[in-house]
Amino acid sequence: MNKDRIRNWLNIIFMVGAVVGVIMYLQKNEQTHMMGLYIILCSMVVKVAESTLRMMK
């Protein structure tokens, strides 16, 4: 598997995670609010991994 395919999959995971996280973050329930925040933070870790792969060309 080449780096571009891995980067594409990591970008897809990041985008889906970010959208789901923001939707959950905007909910009124405090527990859902915090879970959305954690999903957004995990998505950011995935994005950092993708950016690292991009810089290692």
Side-chain angles (χ1 to χ4, degrees), residues 1-12 53:
M1 204 170 192
N2 66 22
K3 283 186 184 180
D4 288 335
R5 285 189 75 187
I6 296 171
R7 282 184 47 223
N8 285 338
W9 277 106
L10 288 174
N11 271 328
I12 291 168
L53 280 176

Side-chain angles (χ1 to χ4, degrees), residues 38-53:
Y38 293 140
I39 291 172
I40 292 169
L41 290 174
C42 290
S43 296
M44 290 174 64
V45 170
V46 171
K47 185 62 179 176
V48 168
E50 186 273 330
S51 296
T52 302
L53 280 176

Side-chain angles (χ1 to χ4, degrees), residues 10-28:
L10 288 174
N11 271 328
I12 291 168
I13 293 169
F14 165 72
M15 289 185 283
V16 170
V19 169
V20 170
V22 168
I23 289 170
M24 290 183 76
Y25 182 80
L26 294 175
Q27 298 297 315
K28 302 280 187 218

